[in-house]
Amino acid sequence: MILAVDVGNTVTRVAVFGREGMEWCGRVPTDCTGLPGSLGRLLQEAPGLEEVQVAGVCSVVPKVDPDLRTLIREMGLQVLEIRPGLSADIRVGYTMPEELGVDRYANAAAAYHRYGGPVAVVDVGTALTMEIVDERGVLWGGPIFPGPEVALRGLGEHAARLQGRLPDAAGPMLASSTAEGISAGVAHGYPALVEGLISRARDAVSVPLPVILTGGGGSRLQGQVAGIAERIPHLTLEGIALLAGNRSPAP
Ligand SMILES: Nc1ncnc2c1ncn2[C@@H]1O[C@H](COP(=O)(O)OP(=O)(O)OP(=O)(O)O)[C@@H](O)[C@H]1O
Ligand SMILES: CC(C)(CO)[C@@H](O)C(=O)NCCC(=O)O
Ligand SMILES: [K+]
């Protein structure tokens, strides 16, 4: 059994994986000072944790790493840090592979395991990213763009008359108020953005490219974007479990 830990800039997700796949998952906010406490409490509820020996840890928030490692080791688990190079199947196309977000590497590993190459992932979280693995198994970064919440917060901070809050409902294209205009921007803008990125990625790869949608914002995009093969909400966790399960932990 493996514990997968995915520390994103907004949300930290954890899951227990057994032979049959994911058996339990939970989430807490990534609050840099409070994370070890809240994660420790959450993990007390995790069923089957006594059978786990290895924690695959994937963090894109370096500040939390030391305390997180301490917490996991104090729970009696061995820490296996996810890093580019853990998969024998994919090779990172970055000039400096260590620059690539490890969550993106985990996404790519899970996607490649399911589909082979080429395959792409669109992950909508704090950032909107695309990971592209070509037919030779080379992982290219793909575009990085502000996620919906970050984009709107930026707008609110820089435009005196606009609020930077995410709307609940989709606004119409012919808006009759500022609120409707903003909700139309998010509801129509992000699907159009993702469709455009997918179309350009397909031009760049020039072979049929299945695309997987994931991330907390992925649920809002489901059904709104043409050309998505499937949405897999826990793709990053799946990739972490896969990468951690294939390797023995470092001493
Ligand atoms: N109305 C909406 N339309 C589009 N996207 C939304 C909407 N509401 C929330 N979102 C997106 O959903 C995401 C929330 O997902 P979640 O709380 O799982 O965190 P996350 O951003 O995926 O976390 P991380 O980047 O830390 O992995 C936010 O990134 C936000 O941009
Ligand atoms: C892009 C994010 C923020 C997505 O979580 C993360 O993967 C990250 O910090 N990446 C480093 C930059 C890169 O992947 O090229
Ligand atoms: K993420």
Side-chain angles (χ1 to χ4, degrees), residues 8-11 13 27 124-127 147-149 166-167 186 215-217 220:
N9 282 288
T10 310
V11 175
R13 297 175 173 81
R27 53 182 278 164
V124 188
T126 310
E149 194 147 6
L166 270 174
V186 175
R220 304 288 190 130

Side-chain angles (χ1 to χ4, degrees), residues 1-6 13-18 24 43 46-58 68-69 71-83 86 237-251:
M1 305 254 286
I2 284 169
L3 177 71
V5 182
D6 168 23
R13 297 175 173 81
V14 284
V16 174
F17 284 81
W24 172 87
L43 288 174
L49 205 60
E50 56 290 344
E51 288 168 56
V52 173
Q53 286 171 337
V54 178
V57 176
C58 173
L68 181 67
R69 262 184 242 126
L71 170 76
I72 293 171
R73 292 206 175 109
E74 280 174 2
M75 292 171 60
L77 305 182
Q78 286 175 290
V79 174
L80 186 126
E81 307 271 359
I82 301 303
R83 57 177 191 281
L86 272 185
L237 289 167
E238 194 178 300
I240 296 167
L242 189 71
L243 292 165
N246 285 344
R247 299 292 140 153
S248 50

Side-chain angles (χ1 to χ4, degrees), residues 6 8 13 103 123 125 236:
D6 168 23
R13 297 175 173 81
D103 53 347
D123 189 334
T236 314

Side-chain angles (χ1 to χ4, degrees), residues 211-222 228-233:
V211 178
I212 299 170
L213 182 62
T214 192
S219 57
R220 304 288 190 130
L221 288 180
Q222 195 170 26
I228 297 282
E230 63 177 317
R231 182 170 81 92
I232 305 177

Side-chain angles (χ1 to χ4, degrees), residues 24 56 60 111 157 186 202-203 225:
W24 172 87
V60 294
E157 279 166 18
V186 175
R202 288 193 168 129
D203 289 345
V225 180

